[in-house]
Amino acid sequence: MKLPISWLRQWVEYDATPQQVAEALTTRGFYVEGVELHGRAYPGIVVARVLEANKHPNADKLKLCRVDAGGAEPLRIVCGAPNVAAGMTVPLATLGTVMPNGLEIKRAKIRGEESEGMLCSARELMLSEDHSGILELTELFAGRELKIGSPVDAYFPEPDAVLEVEVPFNRPDGMGVLGLAREVKAALGGRWTVRAQALLGERSKAADTFDLACEDAEGCPSYLAQVVEHVTVGPSPAWLVRALEAMGQRSINNIVDLTNLVLFEFGQPLHAFDLAKLDGPAIRVRRASAGEKFTTLDGKERELTAEVLVIADAKKTVAIAGVMGGERSEVSASTTDILLECAWFQPARVRRASKALGLSTDASKRYERGVDPAIGSAAAARFLNLLLELCPGAKLGASKRVHAEPQPRTLTLRPSRATRLVGLPFAIDRCEELLRALEFGVTREGVMLKVHVPTWRLDCTLEDDLVEEIARSNGYDRIPEAPLHTGGAYATRTPRERVVRRAREAMLARGLNEAWCGSLVSESEATAAAEALGDEPKLVRLVNPMSREGEVLRPNLLPGLLRACAHNLRQGAPAVRLFEVGAGVLDRGGRLPEERLMLVALVTGQRWKHSHDTTGALKDGAYDVRGTVDFLDAKGLWEAWLSEMRVDSPQWRAYAAPGWKPGASAEVAVGASRIAWAGTLGQSLLRPYEIEVPVHVFVALLDPLVEAASATPRAKVPGRFPSVRRDLAFFVPRATTHARLHECLGGAAGEVLRSIELFDVYEGPGTPEGMKSLAYAMELQHAERTLAESEVQEIQARMVAAVARDCGGQLRER
Amino acid sequence: MSDTLLAALDSNWSAADPAALTPDHAARLAELEQLDPALVALYRRGSEVLAGAADANTLRDRHTALLGRERGVITLGLAEMPRLSVDERKVRGKALNLVKRWLTEVHDARREAIALEREAADALDVTLPGRRGFTGRPHVLSQVRDDLLDLFHGLGFSIYTSPEVELDEYNFEKLNFGPDHPARDAHDTYFAGPDVVLRTHTSPGWVRAMEERKPPLRLVFPGRVYRAEAVDASHMDQFHQIDGLFVDRNVSMADLKATLNTFARAIYRADLPTRIIPIYFPFVEPGVQMDVQCVTCSGTGHIATAEGGKRCPVCKGTKWVEVLGAGMVHPNVFRAVGIDPEIYTGFAFGMGLERIAMGRYGIPEIRLFLENDLRFLEQF
Ligand SMILES: [Zn+2]
């Protein structure tokens, strides 16, 4: 909402600068986003007289002028305008002037002749489109004495300061200058102007001579229909054009301009119909018939529902109540008689109609938020008086008013409530004073106040609303800062929060960057991602997505990380290592979908951030730190992460699902529950992102880890007796997994086994057909004594026997 | 005698002046000349070949030849002693021991020097890059969020999480947005069903927390929120908020002001001016907006330019920048969750992580946050 100071001054007498008005409004809840000067100011442009205008020695179309700008010496100015001649009084932009179009005037040589300024056309001053020649100021300011050398600003009207006010949703009264004037008056201790008092005291008089019927009293409790005959539709007078311009409203014609003027003044929407186009003439306010078609002013045909309130004449619908008029009854240049509508519609009804039709207008927004139900009469009177003034031949015709008095609202205010909520003592006198300044009616009842709420304050329905009035009128800056206290509450961190924190930190420690990815993805991305984790793709779909790329919620975090991976690869990143902690959303049949907390990590590209060979030691088959991350590199990261998450002996099992590279994906289980997936992604998941390099991912559900991570371990004293190390290699059938052999050896060794680590996998010369060799380093230790060599031999024998029995393998003799 | 011993040493061995290793070399020779002139040549030659050993292996060989326990020159010399007279033996024994000690000293000094030379020869180009693994950085929004959560933890606020996909009832109705409330328009809402929305703010968490728990409640509600808006440099349809809530018997705006100022002092600057002004949200009454002084223009509203100055583009000349919304919990919200607003009062606040991060780090575009460009992420 724009608030021109020129408008404000017509309503309130006060003593303050525009900046102070802005400050007062802002600190009372009407945020002023800026103060603009409306109207032209031309710093640097002065009144000058052309003394001589001679031909430029080097250019036919230019003139070399000597110009008196009030200084001791005349200035030399090169000018290209055809009309420039000695004796003219002209605007001169002096050196350093920044023109309205942003151009700065500098000393310049034009075709070899120095120019010390610029003579201006009307267009250069943005006064009009006229650029045919230099502006003659004696014509523009006819009858006024112009002093040579004085700033031209002295002759233009003073610019008007216009405040850009953000009106809070609950204060629709602030959508009119009247409402803002009330705030300014209360804030600055101002008075209504005589004019304001007169305007507020005016009432439109209605006879019972027009055929008006409100068939929906709930939707439309108040309606004035007033005919004005013999109007002349035409351009508005200059004062009206200028006034609207300050409001940012273009002039259309006198009728529309007047409805806009009254709208901006009182916040009351008015509508003018061409009376000739109303059948009857009559007005019926009623519900639309379901399926009824109606063409609104914007030329669109709309289908109405019975929920929509319409204005109809004797035969047909002519407007959607409070939203928009119809094409057929619009005022046009040929209109001679109009019907003025000044109505109050139920906010919720207007809102529902506006939503149902997908049509939101300035009028509908005001009605939805609530127009002052008592202002209509004064607003209509203002319109009609001005109309009769602008169209001297016009006269009032038939009229009728339906009006239900708005219910008066009375609230009780306890100053103690204000004191308690604001934290600042409020005496009853102070409460009364502050409320009265805002035109609340106040009567005392012991220690309480009975407060009569003005009709325009639709927002005040509870005692606490009055507390806000008191708090803001008194000034939030006066509220003290109390000592901090917690009321006995104290902060704790839940096990789940701790798991999330540890999950993030453990992944950061592995050298992965944390990503935050968007939750909205395309359906195809979501489906593929859900299937990769074996989830039925019951996606949560948006009813109103902004795009196909964001039509469903992510079922897990794979799509976002793949987008991020693809983006970084396109940017030439040599390695992408990212993880995210967040929720995957899937419909599991509940009222709300399940939000499953997970960590997803992704790695691709080089193994080390930086590594170079200084020794030439890298040979064929050696682990090359300069190589790219493979399955086992990635698995090492995930294993380390699981270990940091205190996951005890996770079991890795081969896992197959769409989206993974066959034979390179696994699931991780603890006991019976699956907690994670890991592996190399397959082409079907990567292709949509145009990723052509191997990508290794890890998906871990965090909720199953909460218990493990929050368990308190019992301390174990490290064994103090010497341990025995044994390296054993076995030939086993190629299909036997490490996990199988590892478990077999562990079982056979029994409780003296302290650790068993794989250190070599070999298949080649010396390996029996169909077999491979796996070599393990074992450490045996007894808790209470030193192991005897015979015991070690016995354990070793048990292991060899178990491998032969369970895995079909044999000890590889050296 | 010395000649026979000398013959045990290779005459081709490189030699060097031992004076650099034993500064009193000349004095030793003179002393030996006095004591047992027959050993002078031996010591001279021995000390010179030790000093002339180029590397550790050569030095070891020469040490063996001179001082070796089995076949070293000194050992050979001592072996000849029985053939001497008692007096000669006395002198020779003393002199040999002296030569042995001195040669050992020369040897040790030379060994030390060789080790030093060796270390010097192994000097590296210390500016070569190290073999370096990757480092992971927390996301910039995580850092801002964790700073805030740590601060509020210190102020006694625990974390409460609530769903991102939320019922209309919690996102709007119980927060005092009736079905026809015009303020719903300020929340461009993504719908996932007739009564299901993607939460437009983190405030539904208060409702859930208040339904679940009894006061006193001191909670913060971090999370992602959604608005159905077209994405551009300054708008995202997904962003992040932290709400806070304190409900107790006598919570006032003065308590709110204390908490908000503590927040501003900790997150911005201890002496940065702040102000609170009224604002409207359906779920609080009275409503509060907190602004901090614009740091771009130092609260003047304009900045210097080559042309002499212009209006500050950050605060648009208002001198203040909005940082959060707050207020006293609306009595209708209390009633909706079954808390008696006559017994309990409470304050709440809510702030956007992106806004704080953009201000703190000078991040110009909001969409950078979810793009996850490594060059962006690794800066923070
Ligand atoms: Zn600023």
Side-chain angles (χ1 to χ4, degrees):
Chain A
M1 169 80 188
K2 288 191 193 305
L3 177 63
I5 293 294
S6 57
W7 286 52
L8 182 64
R9 292 254 184 224
Q10 295 183 356
W11 290 88
V12 196
E13 285 172 16
Y14 63 89
D15 183 19
T17 63
Q19 284 303 336
Q20 287 167 325
V21 173
E23 182 73 17
L25 284 171
T26 296
T27 54
R28 292 172 74 88
F30 290 84
Y31 200 87
V32 177
E33 291 168 326
V35 181
E36 300 285 351
L37 283 183
H38 180 82
R40 309 257 168 250
Y42 305 101
I45 300 182
V46 300
V47 177
R49 174 155 301 130
V50 181
L51 301 176
E52 284 172 28
N54 300 318
K55 203 183 143 308
H56 189 290
N58 307 324
D60 289 344
K61 289 190 174 163
L62 295 179
K63 288 202 178 99
L64 187 54
C65 307
R66 274 159 45 81
V67 173
D68 178 5
E73 290 290 320
L75 300 173
R76 296 160 61 83
I77 308 285
V78 176
C79 179
N83 69 332
V84 66
M88 282 179 83
T89 304
V90 295
L92 168 72
T94 53
L95 294 177
T97 301
V98 178
M99 297 300 291
N101 67 5
L103 178 80
E104 190 185 337
I105 305 300
K106 291 184 181 132
R107 186 181 294 274
K109 272 219 165 116
I110 301 171
R111 292 289 191 95
E113 291 295 333
E114 183 127 315
S115 185
E116 299 172 291
M118 186 178 87
L119 305 184
C120 309
S121 70
R123 191 171 80 186
E124 279 158 346
L125 297 185
M126 291 192 172
L127 288 171
S128 74
E129 283 304 297
D130 187 1
H131 194 51
S132 61
I134 299 304
L135 184 65
E136 173 54 76
L137 290 175
T138 52
E139 281 169 25
L140 185 67
F141 300 121
R144 294 175 66 181
E145 194 179 319
L146 300 173
K147 187 171 174 292
I148 300 304
S150 61
V152 293
D153 279 348
Y155 306 96
F156 282 99
E158 203 168 309
D160 189 9
V162 179
L163 277 53
E164 186 62 55
V165 185
E166 200 178 301
V167 177
F169 257 102
N170 63 333
R171 291 298 303 276
D173 58 310
M175 301 289 282
V177 171
L178 171 59
L180 295 176
R182 281 199 187 96
E183 282 292 333
V184 172
K185 182 166 81 71
L188 301 175
R191 287 195 313 273
W192 288 125
T193 59
V194 175
R195 180 179 168 283
Q197 290 171 36
L199 291 179
L200 289 169
E202 284 274 4
R203 292 288 177 272
S204 62
K205 294 162 199 69
D208 192 3
T209 47
F210 188 81
D211 181 5
L212 163 69
C214 279
E215 294 168 11
D216 188 331
E218 181 259 329
C220 175
S222 179
Y223 197 100
L224 168 73
Q226 172 71 56
V227 173
V228 187
E229 294 164 355
H230 309 305
V231 300
T232 317
V233 178
S236 293
W239 69 265
L240 183 51
V241 174
R242 264 205 307 278
L244 290 176
E245 202 178 274
M247 269 293 178
Q249 174 69 49
R250 209 163 41 84
S251 171
I252 295 162
N253 62 45
N254 50 0
I255 308 290
V256 176
D257 287 358
L258 279 184
T259 59
N260 280 331
L261 179 84
V262 174
L263 179 74
F264 293 141
E265 284 184 332
F266 292 84
Q268 170 69 57
L270 300 174
H271 189 74
F273 296 98
D274 185 338
L275 186 69
K277 293 171 189 160
L278 294 180
D279 283 304
I283 288 289
R284 304 276 175 270
V285 186
R286 58 165 172 79
R287 283 170 184 272
S289 352
E292 184 182 339
K293 299 263 196 323
F294 177 65
T295 305
T296 41
L297 262 176
D298 54 4
K300 288 208 180 99
E301 191 185 66
R302 296 166 191 276
E303 191 174 316
L304 311 181
T305 63
E307 185 64 14
V308 175
L309 194 67
V310 297
I311 312 299
D313 60 16
K315 290 186 179 160
K316 60 186 186 296
T317 294
V318 294
I320 297 166
V323 181
M324 195 180 260
E327 222 176 16
R328 281 189 295 177
S329 58
E330 196 184 350
V331 170
S332 67
S334 59
T335 302
T336 57
D337 303 336
I338 63 159
L339 177 86
L340 173 72
E341 165 195 290
C342 177
W344 196 85
F345 301 110
Q346 186 56 237
R349 292 290 296 279
V350 175
R351 179 174 173 80
R352 271 175 258 162
S354 161
K355 289 273 149 197
L357 299 174
L359 179 61
S360 180
T361 61
D362 186 45
S364 73
K365 280 184 202 143
R366 288 166 180 272
Y367 277 123
E368 272 178 35
R369 290 166 63 173
V371 170
D372 176 1
I375 200 65
S377 188
R382 169 80 167 144
F383 175 85
L384 294 168
N385 290 340
L386 284 171
L387 184 59
L388 296 179
E389 226 173 80
L390 295 192
C391 306
K395 66 180 183 64
L396 300 182
S399 63
K400 180 168 179 180
R401 184 202 308 278
V402 174
H403 185 62
E405 276 302 323
Q407 284 290 318
R409 231 170 317 123
T410 303
L411 302 172
T412 301
L413 174 81
R414 294 163 294 171
S416 62
R417 177 77 180 168
T419 299
R420 182 176 174 212
L421 274 182
V422 182
L424 177 66
F426 280 102
I428 192 163
D429 293 348
R430 180 67 175 152
C431 295
E432 184 174 347
E433 177 196 350
L434 293 171
L435 289 170
R436 280 193 188 283
L438 285 163
E439 299 181 34
F440 285 80
V442 182
T443 50
R444 292 215 186 194
E445 275 193 1
V447 296
M448 298 188 287
L449 296 178
K450 273 263 173 289
V451 180
H452 309 283
V453 179
T455 52
W456 57 89
R457 293 304 304 270
L458 298 161
D459 58 308
C460 286
T461 58
L462 298 170
E463 184 185 22
D464 287 2
D465 298 326
L466 299 177
V467 171
E468 179 175 56
E469 294 306 300
I470 288 166
R472 73 182 183 91
S473 301
N474 190 58
Y476 279 11
D477 55 336
R478 291 203 208 168
I479 299 172
E481 205 175 307
L484 286 168
H485 72 94
T486 71
Y490 61 94
T492 55
R493 293 199 205 283
T494 62
R496 195 169 191 250
E497 283 163 45
R498 271 180 270 187
V499 160
V500 169
R501 184 167 283 206
R502 187 184 293 169
R504 291 177 52 233
E505 283 169 358
M507 219 27 117
L508 291 170
R510 312 267 88 72
L512 276 74
N513 284 302
E514 187 185 19
W516 282 33
C517 302
S519 320
L520 299 174
V521 298
S522 73
E523 180 172 359
S524 59
E525 288 177 283
T527 305
E531 284 172 348
L533 301 192
D535 287 316
E536 207 185 318
K538 285 188 161 175
L539 304 172
V540 176
R541 200 174 302 276
L542 296 186
V543 175
N544 54 337
M546 299 296 289
S547 70
R548 293 293 306 277
E549 283 66 48
E551 59 189 338
V552 297
L553 277 154
R554 54 184 179 179
N556 57 53
L557 315 186
L558 283 171
L561 282 180
L562 286 169
R563 284 187 187 185
C565 175
H567 168 84
N568 283 295
L569 290 173
R570 275 198 305 276
Q571 302 302 321
V576 180
R577 297 161 71 96
L578 290 169
F579 77 95
E580 184 181 15
V581 174
V585 182
L586 275 174
D587 180 1
R588 309 236 179 221
R591 241 186 124 188
L592 287 178
E594 183 191 57
E595 296 181 16
R596 202 159 47 151
L597 187 64
M598 58 181 74
L599 173 142
V600 179
L602 172 153
V603 289
T604 184
Q606 65 191 33
R607 279 179 169 137
W608 287 61
K609 172 120 180 127
H610 182 87
S611 184
H612 52 272
D613 188 5
T614 52
T615 60
L618 293 171
K619 294 190 188 77
D620 289 345
Y623 178 83
D624 184 353
V625 291
R626 296 169 308 172
T628 53
V629 169
D630 65 15
F631 176 89
L632 290 180
D633 290 320
K635 188 183 172 190
L637 295 171
W638 320 142
E639 284 175 323
W641 182 86
L642 287 164
S643 161
E644 281 209 44
M645 295 307 290
R646 316 283 201 272
V647 175
D648 194 23
S649 46
Q651 294 141 41
W652 290 71
R653 298 191 292 245
Y655 170 78
W660 301 87
K661 185 178 165 195
S665 53
E667 58 183 9
V668 184
V670 174
S673 66
R674 178 163 62 189
I675 57 163
W677 296 258
T680 309
L681 291 183
Q683 275 312 300
S684 66
L685 210 46
L686 296 179
R687 201 175 300 112
Y689 300 93
E690 295 175 9
I691 297 174
E692 285 166 353
V693 295
V695 171
H696 311 280
V697 300
F698 178 62
V699 179
L701 303 178
L702 294 184
D703 279 314
L705 303 184
V706 172
E707 206 179 320
S710 45
T712 310
R714 302 300 302 169
K716 282 190 215 110
V717 177
R720 298 197 187 282
F721 294 90
S723 63
V724 179
R725 298 190 62 95
R726 279 287 183 282
D727 290 351
L728 294 177
F730 295 92
F731 288 124
V732 290
R734 197 176 283 145
T736 304
T737 62
H738 153 73
R740 179 83 191 86
L741 186 56
H742 188 268
E743 191 191 343
C744 172
L745 291 169
E751 62 183 15
V752 295
L753 183 69
R754 243 187 74 192
S755 72
I756 172 165
E757 302 283 351
L758 177 75
F759 69 87
D760 187 48
V761 179
Y762 175 74
E763 199 178 332
T767 342
E769 183 63 27
M771 306 282 265
K772 63 182 176 187
S773 160
L774 296 176
Y776 293 87
M778 278 163 278
E779 189 179 4
L780 307 172
Q781 188 183 36
H782 198 286
E784 281 139 28
R785 58 187 162 77
T786 303
L787 283 172
E789 177 57 25
S790 61
E791 286 175 294
V792 175
Q793 289 297 334
E794 194 188 311
I795 291 164
Q796 190 172 322
R798 278 209 308 269
M799 288 178 167
V800 172
V803 170
R805 186 182 65 237
D806 299 343
C807 305
Q810 71 202 65
L811 190 68
R812 178 181 170 190
E813 307 282 358
R814 283 180 193 267
Chain B
M1 135 82 229
S2 188
D3 293 347
T4 52
L5 290 178
L6 272 176
L9 302 178
D10 191 325
S11 60
N12 292 322
W13 282 352
S14 53
D17 183 356
L21 300 172
T22 51
D24 55 349
H25 185 60
R28 286 180 178 182
L29 288 175
E31 190 181 341
L32 204 56
E33 190 76 48
Q34 291 286 322
L35 184 64
D36 191 351
L39 290 183
V40 169
L42 173 65
Y43 177 67
R44 178 179 284 124
R45 176 68 182 156
S47 61
E48 282 173 2
V49 298
L50 286 173
D55 56 48
N57 283 341
T58 310
L59 182 66
R60 193 182 327 112
D61 291 347
R62 295 181 187 183
H63 178 266
T64 307
L66 284 165
L67 298 160
R69 209 164 285 178
E70 306 272 310
R71 308 199 46 77
V73 172
I74 300 298
T75 307
L76 294 179
L78 290 169
E80 283 178 359
M81 294 251 287
R83 285 192 270 130
L84 301 179
S85 67
V86 172
D87 285 350
E88 279 175 335
R89 249 190 269 172
K90 245 185 196 164
V91 172
R92 178 56 52 86
K94 191 179 171 197
L96 274 174
N97 274 320
L98 200 60
V99 168
K100 182 181 177 185
R101 201 179 84 218
W102 286 348
L103 286 176
T104 302
E105 277 174 27
V106 173
H107 166 265
D108 289 353
R110 180 60 193 150
R111 189 174 61 185
E112 182 89 346
I114 287 171
L116 286 173
E117 282 162 22
R118 169 79 189 272
E119 278 178 352
D122 282 350
L124 295 171
D125 173 359
V126 296
T127 67
L128 282 177
R131 294 181 194 97
R132 185 166 150 207
F134 290 91
T135 41
R137 301 293 303 153
H139 194 277
V140 59
L141 289 175
S142 280
Q143 297 187 41
V144 172
R145 180 197 58 199
D146 290 348
D147 281 356
L148 292 170
L149 292 179
D150 285 352
L151 169 71
F152 288 117
H153 188 85
L155 298 180
F157 288 85
S158 299
I159 297 169
Y160 187 95
T161 46
S162 72
E164 288 181 24
V165 185
E166 186 55 283
L167 296 171
D168 182 281
E169 181 187 342
Y170 286 96
N171 195 75
F172 291 121
E173 290 270 7
K174 288 182 169 175
L175 287 167
N176 200 31
F177 290 81
D180 295 316
H181 202 297
R184 283 184 178 228
D185 288 351
H187 293 231
D188 298 309
T189 310
Y190 274 132
F191 289 91
D195 297 313
V196 180
V197 301
L198 304 198
R199 65 174 172 196
T200 59
H201 46 177
T202 45
S203 314
W206 326 345
V207 180
R208 290 185 175 272
M210 288 192 286
E211 282 185 345
E212 224 170 71
R213 303 179 184 181
K214 294 270 159 283
L217 294 173
R218 204 161 160 86
L219 298 168
V220 281
F221 306 85
R224 177 169 290 183
V225 302
Y226 300 82
R227 298 283 169 95
E229 270 191 25
V231 173
D232 63 27
S234 50
H235 296 89
M236 272 301 281
D237 60 350
Q238 306 162 48
F239 50 97
H240 305 84
Q241 292 182 340
I242 294 185
D243 267 30
L245 175 74
F246 179 35
V247 179
D248 197 11
R249 283 177 189 272
N250 279 305
V251 177
S252 75
M253 292 178 82
D255 297 317
L256 172 61
K257 196 169 187 176
T259 299
L260 296 185
N261 279 339
T262 305
F263 152 79
R265 285 191 282 263
I267 297 299
Y268 294 93
R269 214 178 62 207
D271 59 347
L272 189 66
T274 63
R275 69 170 182 186
I276 61 170
I277 55 174
I279 191 174
Y280 171 72
F281 303 109
F283 35 91
V284 288
E285 186 72 318
V288 169
Q289 168 177 321
M290 185 166 80
D291 296 348
V292 296
Q293 195 182 68
C294 178
V295 291
T296 305
C297 62
S298 309
T300 59
H302 44 84
I303 55 170
T305 62
E307 292 85 45
K310 64 168 185 177
R311 195 163 70 168
C312 172
V314 174
C315 63
K316 301 190 178 72
T318 62
K319 307 173 186 174
W320 297 94
V321 177
E322 177 193 346
V323 291
L324 57 78
M328 302 302 292
V329 178
H330 198 287
N332 288 349
V333 176
F334 275 139
R335 284 189 201 105
V337 297
I339 289 179
D340 184 347
E342 281 299 312
I343 299 174
Y344 290 102
T345 57
F347 70 63
F349 56 83
M351 63 191 83
L353 290 187
E354 281 82 354
R355 184 194 292 266
I356 294 172
M358 290 168 93
R360 178 190 284 185
Y361 301 101
I363 296 167
E365 286 190 22
I366 193 169
R367 50 185 166 197
L368 287 167
F369 289 114
L370 298 188
E371 190 180 50
N372 297 305
D373 190 306
L374 289 166
R375 296 165 300 180
F376 175 73
L377 297 178
E378 287 173 352
Q379 296 174 61
F380 305 103

